[in-house]
Amino acid sequence: MAEKNAAEDNEAAGRDGLQLNPTTAAETQPEHSHDPAKGTQLHKGTVQSTMTETPLNSDKCSRETHFAQDEQEEVKLLHLEATAAIREISFAVRHAYKSTRLTSTDQTIYINVQTKEECTLCLELSLQGFRVVGRKFDEVDRSCYSRHYETIYALLDDLSLEYRRSFGETLQSRLEALAIEQGAEETQTLEGE
């Protein structure tokens, strides 16, 4: 019975632009008691139901604000990712830079890349990832669209043997340098004892 009345109160309040959140308590309260700290008390028999009023729009506004903040953050991250990708692949390609002729938007950034094999590519970075959109700098040609790659490394690994070779050589030399550094540190530690 109390649940039915709470549902009816919720329905009526919803028409008035309020959302009522019922909570029930197991303790027994007198028929006409009222505790201002707990909100409005509705009593039926020995079951107490506390109702709190919340504007219906507050959740919607909160979600919209949160969504807008997330979207702005994604746009910033997209631009940062494009800049980082260009910097990180520069050792293994001839040229890589953001397109100055194609207009980047909140959803897409265009990057021109020339591989060591002299292959020119126009890449698109979006929330879906990287993909080839043209075979010339600053050119979008729908017939050239490739699948999306999660990283620029995966894209170049598929398209450029020289990129793959350069990446492997660079990784090997960095690992060798790390091994030499660790060996030197171990030697210093042993000499210090």
Side-chain angles (χ1 to χ4, degrees):
M1 181 85 170
E3 290 175 7
K4 182 180 176 190
N5 287 336
E8 289 172 0
D9 289 340
N10 241 351
E11 187 177 324
R15 288 190 297 266
D16 296 332
L18 299 174
Q19 179 180 4
L20 300 178
N21 302 316
T23 56
T24 57
E27 60 235 36
T28 303
Q29 295 287 329
E31 185 79 13
H32 300 289
S33 72
H34 177 74
D35 180 2
K38 291 186 179 179
T40 306
Q41 304 293 321
L42 301 176
H43 305 286
K44 294 293 177 192
T46 60
V47 177
Q48 161 187 325
S49 188
T50 303
M51 305 297 255
T52 56
E53 296 181 3
T54 310
L56 286 176
N57 298 14
S58 70
D59 285 344
K60 183 178 178 186
C61 291
S62 175
R63 282 189 302 253
E64 288 174 357
T65 301
H66 186 67
F67 178 75
Q69 289 170 345
D70 284 351
E71 194 172 273
Q72 289 173 352
E73 190 66 27
E74 286 176 351
V75 170
K76 288 179 188 176
L77 290 175
L78 200 61
H79 283 278
L80 288 173
E81 184 172 355
T83 302
I86 290 167
R87 184 180 62 249
E88 291 173 8
I89 65 166
S90 62
F91 74 92
V93 298
R94 290 200 188 278
H95 303 287
Y97 60 93
K98 285 184 190 177
S99 175
T100 55
R101 292 187 182 163
L102 295 175
T103 305
S104 293
T105 67
D106 294 347
Q107 304 296 316
T108 57
I109 297 172
Y110 296 97
I111 302 170
N112 292 321
V113 174
Q114 183 179 33
T115 66
K116 289 187 175 183
E117 296 95 347
E118 304 293 328
C119 178
T120 49
L121 304 167
C122 184
L123 308 179
E124 174 190 82
L125 170 60
S126 67
L127 295 177
Q128 288 81 30
F130 293 88
R131 72 174 174 171
V132 175
V133 293
R135 296 286 177 190
K136 296 179 183 173
F137 288 163
D138 303 311
E139 174 188 82
V140 176
D141 179 356
R142 293 179 84 65
S143 68
C144 295
Y145 281 14
S146 72
R147 69 178 181 90
H148 284 95
Y149 292 82
E150 192 170 324
T151 66
I152 198 166
Y153 317 113
L155 183 147
L156 289 172
D157 192 59
D158 265 4
L159 300 178
S160 172
L161 291 174
E162 285 298 312
Y163 169 82
R164 191 178 311 150
R165 187 187 59 74
S166 293
F167 182 85
E169 288 173 357
T170 302
L171 180 60
Q172 181 179 353
S173 66
R174 287 184 182 170
L175 289 173
E176 288 171 355
L178 183 62
I180 291 169
E181 183 181 311
Q182 285 178 341
E185 286 176 5
E186 288 175 7
T187 303
Q188 286 177 351
T189 303
L190 291 175
E191 290 174 358
E193 292 178 356

